[in-house]
Amino acid sequence: MISLAAGSTSGKPSNQNFLDPKVLGIEEHFLSNGLRVVTWEDHSAPLVTLQVAYHVGSVNERPGITGISHLFEHLMFKGSYKYGPEEHANIVQANGGRLNAFTTNDMTLYYENIAADKLELVISMEAEREANLAITAENLKSEREVVKEERRMRTD
């Protein structure tokens, strides 16, 4: 492992690992509801990245019944009680931000990159869609077809 000492001119590794979360200023907190919050401040630009990770992916699915994690990744963009289909994405983009999501073997992650003064907005929208996801027969049918097509294009 590589480690560097701040201000060292000898080029020799120090005992202080530059990847140590404490050295980088990474902090971890746990909310009363069990949510783990990890923060890292970098004031080099007036931007914020919010990432919401769910520890669920294809590893949690049964053989022959796959794609459910990916399907729910898509459903998270189909609206909630408060926001209509794609409205979450439209609001982020109207505020100059970018967002997307992906599902891997063991995780589904959503992210928004946006101006720092919009952090409260994106946190509230994430909370809304997590609590009040619009799971309708119409949304399930349309997104199931999208996920099946993505699987045909990327996997099969």
Side-chain angles (χ1 to χ4, degrees):
M1 180 163 280
I2 300 171
S3 60
L4 303 173
S8 172
T9 57
S10 68
K12 295 181 181 176
S14 75
N15 291 333
Q16 188 176 15
N17 184 335
F18 77 97
L19 295 177
D20 183 339
K22 299 280 189 226
V23 172
L24 291 173
I26 296 172
E27 295 182 14
E28 180 178 58
H29 312 275
F30 290 91
L31 303 183
S32 61
N33 64 2
L35 182 68
R36 178 177 165 232
V37 178
V38 179
T39 60
W40 176 50
E41 290 188 42
D42 175 357
H43 296 277
S44 62
L47 303 171
V48 66
T49 296
L50 174 68
Q51 295 182 352
V52 178
Y54 298 91
H55 295 284
V56 63
S58 57
V59 72
N60 303 102
E61 297 171 357
R62 292 185 287 170
I65 304 175
T66 60
I68 295 169
S69 300
H70 190 192
L71 175 64
F72 272 85
E73 172 200 321
H74 281 249
L75 286 173
M76 291 286 272
F77 291 98
K78 297 304 283 184
S80 65
Y81 294 138
K82 186 174 179 180
Y83 299 105
E86 305 302 327
E87 192 174 357
H88 182 125
N90 292 339
I91 291 169
V92 170
Q93 292 165 350
N95 282 280
R98 292 183 15 208
L99 74 162
N100 211 335
F102 60 87
T103 300
T104 65
N105 185 48
D106 62 353
M107 174 179 61
T108 302
L109 186 132
Y110 302 84
Y111 70 87
E112 285 109 347
N113 298 325
I114 198 162
D117 67 341
K118 302 297 181 188
L119 178 60
E120 189 173 326
L121 170 67
V122 293
I123 288 174
S124 70
M125 289 193 308
E126 285 293 345
E128 164 62 20
R129 73 178 175 178
E130 182 174 318
N132 300 306
L133 189 61
I135 302 175
T136 66
E138 181 182 334
N139 286 346
L140 280 168
K141 183 179 179 184
S142 69
E143 293 311 303
R144 184 181 300 122
E145 293 307 313
V146 171
V147 169
K148 285 166 55 178
E149 182 59 26
E150 286 183 6
R151 180 183 175 104
R152 282 191 286 274
M153 296 293 293
R154 296 181 184 158
T155 305
D156 298 342

